[in-house]
Structure formats: structure tokens, C-alpha cells
């Protein structure tokens, strides 16, 4: 059975910095999410905010409010935000200490490691709870340098990259994974950030916490683990940031380490400036495609839309324009599903047709 969990996402649920909470509400194979804490949206249903339809997961005003309403104390307390500063505020610290007092295990996605904090560890020992620092890397002696083994992988590898951080690369990856599984394929998913790991990805590493020397080697190692243990029909690699991003190098490591045979690019057409860098304009979808294809030996085979601040008509108009201009399939997987992406993947890798199970369409 899944462990139960309560997510802390004060003033950020449904927003860019609430992407960990947003992702867990959309998909969590590891935890049963009982609610989200965000006093600015108390009383609402999380599904209404993310998908305009109820999912039965409520929003609470505080930890105390949640514990008064829920029938039992959740197993886990998950910090559900990914702020650019990546460190706790004092009031958040007190909330986490209180959660431990209630007997809740702590799941921490920040760069600030709670297991290196004397007060947190004292509370964990006193109240017999566990703390998981999702981003905490292995010891350097256990990290991997690039070996070149990935060059011998015959299984198709598809990377889902983007034009900025927090544009939905992971969401599209997970939805595509499910769609391909429904077709009868054995799919291996490689998570590259904290949210994918918390969601329950079997393979992956939070690469933005690694020393740069080990970026490509750690991605390669996760691809090889999946390849050797699962014998998958296809491997999907989650992107981080953007190759063009002036502050992040994650996409570089992902491309070099996984050596994708094809790339899908996620883009928010209405976003004018980079999410955490408002003084930097967004790249165009064409410029990002050109950069990816010049940086790597691969092709961008499809574009997916992040529909933030867009109407349904605007989404359809952008899809039509992009397909005309870029000459590749374009879709919004949250609005229109994955049919175009699945068809594109089968067209790009014809051998996958032989993998379809009998009776699966």
C-alpha cells in the first residue's frame, strides 16, 4: 500500500515554484496524497486549480487544520515547493518541526539537507521519524564518470526537453510513459529532478545537486541500469531547465549522458521571460530546436505546449501555427492527450511496431 502524505505548498500551489506539489497531485506512484497546505486557496479542490476538475484532494490552511480534518495523521510530510533560493524560512522550519512532533516522516526536496541539521536530527530521533533528503547525492566515491557504455544501447531513447524550467517536461514525460505502456510497450522512465523521484520513479537522480564532473556519468548510469534491469522497448528521459538557459547546465548533462535518439520540446508560448530570471527573454521554440540539433546528434521530433495563460482557442491556434512553421507534430498533452506523440514515436522508431502486444491498439 502507498504511504499517505500531506504536502506543504504555502502560497505556491498551482504556480511555478509549487511544481513539486503540482506534480505529486497529478501523479504519485509512491504516496497517497491526502491534501495540500496553502492558506491562500483553503477550501478549494486541488484538481480544480490544476485541471479545472475536482479530484477529491483538498487544500488546508495549516498543518493544524489538516490534522483536525483528516481521519488520521499522514505518514509523510512533503515540502512541496522548489523556490529559487532553495532554503527554508524560519516559519517553515517550525512547521516541519511540528510535523515531526506529530509523528510524520519528512520528505525534503531542497538543496538544504535536513539530515545535516542538528535540531532536525534531534527531533527525528526523539519522535522516531525518518528524514529523506531527496536531492542529497551519493558520496563522491560512489558517483560515476561517463564511460561510453550508453553508446552501445540499441533501445530508442527519447528526451523531453524544454525552453525554460517549470514548463511541464516531467508532466509530459509521465503522461507519455503511461500512454506508451497502454500500447503494450515496456517503458523505462529516467527522472532527473527531485519531483520525479518523490513521485516514485525507479530510475533517476537529482542532477542539479551533483558536481558537474559527474553529471553525464550519473545520467548514463541511470540509463544503463534501466536498460540492463528492465530490457525496455523504449527509454524516456526527463529534461531539466533548458539548453539555452543562462543559469542552468542540466540539459547539457542530460543530452551528453543519455544520448537521446529523439527529442520532444516543451514550450509555453505565452511566457515572455524566463521563470526565475524576469530580466531574460524567453527563447523562441525555433531557436531552441536549432540549438538542440546543433549541440547533439539527434532530431527534435515533436513540440508540446504548456498552456499557461492560454485559452482553448489559443492553444489550438498555436498548434496549427507551429505545425505549419516547424513541420513537426505539436500538441498539448493535458488538453489533447498523447496520440500525436505516440504516432510520432512509432514513425521515428518503426521497430516498435513489432513490440505491440496482441489485442492492444
Amino acid at each position: 500500500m502507498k504511504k499517505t502524505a500531506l504536502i506543504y505548498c504555502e502560497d505556491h500551489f498551482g504556480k511555478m515554484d509549487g511544481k513539486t506539489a503540482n506534480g505529486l497531485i497529478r501523479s504519485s506512484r509512491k504516496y497517497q496524497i491526502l491534501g495540500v497546505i496553502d492558506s491562500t486557496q483553503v477550501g478549494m479542490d486541488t484538481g480544480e486549480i490544476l485541471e479545472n476538475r475536482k479530484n477529491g484532494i483538498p487544500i488546508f490552511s495549516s498543518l493544524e487544520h489538516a490534522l483536525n480534518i483528516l481521519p488520521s495523521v499522514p505518514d509523510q510530510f512533503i515540502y512541496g515547493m522548489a523556490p529559487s533560493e532553495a532554503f527554508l524560512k524560519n516559519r517553515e522550519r517550525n512547521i516541519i518541526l511540528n510535523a515531526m512532533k506529530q509523528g510524520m516522516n519528512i520528505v525534503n526536496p531542497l538543496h538544504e539537507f535536513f539530515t545535516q541539521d542538528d535540531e532536525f536530527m534531534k527531533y527525528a530521533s526523539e519522535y522516531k521519524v525518518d528524514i529523506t533528503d531527496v536531492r542529497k547525492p551519493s558520496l563522491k566515491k560512489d558517483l560515476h564518470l561517463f564511460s561510453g557504455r550508453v553508446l552501445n544501447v540499441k533501445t530508442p531513447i527519447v528526451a523531453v526537453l524544454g525552453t525554460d524550467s517549470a514548463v511541464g517536461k516531467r508532466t509530459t514525460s509521465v503522461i507519455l510513459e503511461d500512454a506508451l505502456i497502454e500500447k503494450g510497450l515496456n517503458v523505462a522512465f529516467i527522472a532527473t529532478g527531485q519531483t520525479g523521484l518523490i513521485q516514485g520513479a525507479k530510475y533517476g537522480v537529482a542532477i542539479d545537486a551533483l558536481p558537474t564532473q559527474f553529471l553525464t556519468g550519473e545520467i548514463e548510469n541511470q540509463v544503463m541500469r534501466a536498460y540492463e534491469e528492465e530490457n525496455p522497448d523504449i527509454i524516456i528521459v526527463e529534461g531539466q531547465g533548458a539548453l539555452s538557459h543562462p543559469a542552468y547546465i542540466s540539459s547539457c548533462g542530460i543530452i551528453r549522458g543519455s544520448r537521446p535518439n529523439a527529442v520532444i520540446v516543451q514550450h509555453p508560448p505565452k511566457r515572455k521571460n524566463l521563470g526565475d530570471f524576469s530580466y531574460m527573454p524567453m527563447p523562441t521554440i525555433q531557436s531552441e530546436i536549432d540549438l538542440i540539433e546543433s549541440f547533439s546528434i539527434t532530431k527534435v521530433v515533436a513540440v508540446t505546449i504548456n498552456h499557461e495563460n492560454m485559452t482553448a482557442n489559443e492553444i489550438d491556434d498555436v498548434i496549427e501555427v507551429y505545425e505549419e512553421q516547424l513541420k513537426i507534430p505539436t500538441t498539448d498533452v493535458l488538453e489533447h492527450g498523447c496520440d500525436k506523440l505516440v504516432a510520432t514515436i512509432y514513425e521515428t522508431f518503426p521497430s516498435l511496431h513489432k513490440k505491440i502486444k496482441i489485442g492492444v491498439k
Side-chain angles (χ1 to χ4, degrees):
M1 293 181 61
K2 292 182 178 180
K3 297 288 187 180
T4 57
L6 179 65
I7 304 174
Y8 178 79
C9 196
E10 178 62 24
D11 195 29
H12 285 294
F13 183 70
K15 302 176 184 177
M16 182 179 298
D17 282 351
K19 65 179 184 179
T20 298
N22 303 340
L24 287 167
I25 292 300
R26 286 190 169 114
S27 175
S28 180
R29 298 168 186 179
K30 191 172 184 179
Y31 302 114
Q32 178 189 352
I33 308 301
L34 301 182
V36 171
I37 297 172
D38 182 351
S39 65
T40 67
Q41 303 184 80
V42 62
M44 296 191 68
D45 182 282
T46 57
E48 289 179 307
I49 295 170
L50 293 182
E51 313 290 354
N52 293 317
R53 56 180 179 270
K54 291 187 177 182
N55 60 18
I57 302 175
I59 297 180
F60 302 108
S61 62
S62 64
L63 174 60
E64 292 73 21
H65 179 212
L67 296 181
N68 283 335
I69 298 295
L70 295 173
S72 61
V73 176
D75 301 312
Q76 314 285 329
F77 185 86
I78 301 174
Y79 187 91
M81 294 180 285
S84 57
E85 62 270 21
F87 293 99
L88 282 179
K89 300 176 178 64
N90 284 334
R91 62 180 178 81
E92 294 175 337
R93 183 182 185 87
N94 291 331
I95 291 169
I96 290 170
L97 290 171
N98 191 21
M100 285 195 274
K101 283 184 181 181
Q102 306 304 318
M104 301 173 69
N105 301 299
I106 306 300
V107 179
N108 166 38
L110 298 174
H111 285 291
E112 175 183 5
F113 301 142
F114 296 174
T115 53
Q116 294 177 350
D117 184 295
D118 291 342
E119 186 177 25
F120 278 152
M121 293 309 293
K122 178 183 176 182
Y123 269 65
S125 176
E126 181 176 353
Y127 295 102
K128 297 179 174 55
V129 298
D130 295 324
I131 296 175
T132 301
D133 288 324
V134 180
R135 267 186 165 124
K136 190 174 183 179
S138 301
L139 296 174
K140 286 187 176 66
K141 68 179 181 65
D142 297 320
L143 295 176
H144 298 81
L145 295 171
F146 185 75
S147 69
R149 292 182 299 154
V150 72
L151 301 175
N152 298 317
V153 171
K154 304 304 181 185
T155 297
I157 299 173
V158 178
V160 181
L161 305 181
T163 54
D164 192 10
S165 59
V167 293
K169 297 179 289 289
R170 185 199 63 258
T171 297
T172 291
S173 298
V174 171
I175 293 173
L176 176 59
E177 177 192 11
D178 288 340
L180 292 171
I181 289 172
E182 287 182 5
K183 292 293 184 182
L185 295 182
N186 179 16
V187 185
F189 171 61
I190 312 297
T192 56
Q194 72 279 2
T195 304
L197 295 173
I198 298 172
Q199 285 177 314
K202 184 176 179 180
Y203 302 99
V205 60
I207 64 171
D208 63 358
L210 294 171
T212 56
Q213 185 176 6
F214 299 101
L215 278 179
T216 56
E218 282 297 295
I219 290 294
E220 178 191 45
N221 183 60
Q222 293 302 319
V223 170
M224 296 309 300
R225 283 186 59 224
Y227 179 65
E228 293 166 356
E229 294 176 13
E230 306 293 334
N231 188 27
D233 299 318
I234 188 170
I235 298 171
I236 298 173
V237 182
E238 173 196 12
Q240 294 293 326
L243 188 59
S244 62
H245 203 291
Y248 305 139
I249 62 171
S250 301
S251 288
C252 175
I254 290 168
I255 290 172
R256 293 295 197 222
S258 68
R259 302 291 168 133
N261 309 108
V263 169
I264 295 167
V265 179
Q266 179 97 0
H267 179 62
K270 280 293 192 74
R271 192 179 295 186
K272 301 300 183 183
N273 298 292
L274 295 175
D276 290 322
F277 302 86
S278 58
Y279 50 86
M280 294 293 298
M282 282 286 295
T284 66
I285 183 62
Q286 183 67 67
S287 69
E288 196 71 26
I289 291 172
D290 292 343
L291 181 61
I292 291 168
E293 293 186 343
S294 63
F295 181 80
S296 58
I297 307 173
T298 190
K299 285 290 184 182
V300 174
V301 299
V303 169
T304 47
I305 298 299
N306 175 319
H307 59 238
E308 62 184 39
N309 302 318
M310 297 177 71
T311 66
N313 287 338
E314 287 175 326
I315 294 169
D316 292 341
D317 289 344
V318 165
I319 289 173
E320 183 177 350
V321 169
Y322 281 6
E323 290 190 332
E324 173 64 27
Q325 292 179 348
L326 304 173
K327 308 302 181 186
I328 54 177
T330 302
T331 192
D332 178 335
V333 298
L334 290 175
E335 292 295 314
H336 299 305
C338 274
D339 288 349
K340 282 186 182 179
L341 296 187
V342 171
T344 299
I345 286 172
Y346 277 120
E347 182 178 345
T348 305
F349 307 108
S351 62
L352 290 178
H353 286 284
K354 302 175 184 177
K355 306 287 186 177
I356 300 176
K357 293 180 181 178
I358 296 175
V360 177
K361 295 183 179 179

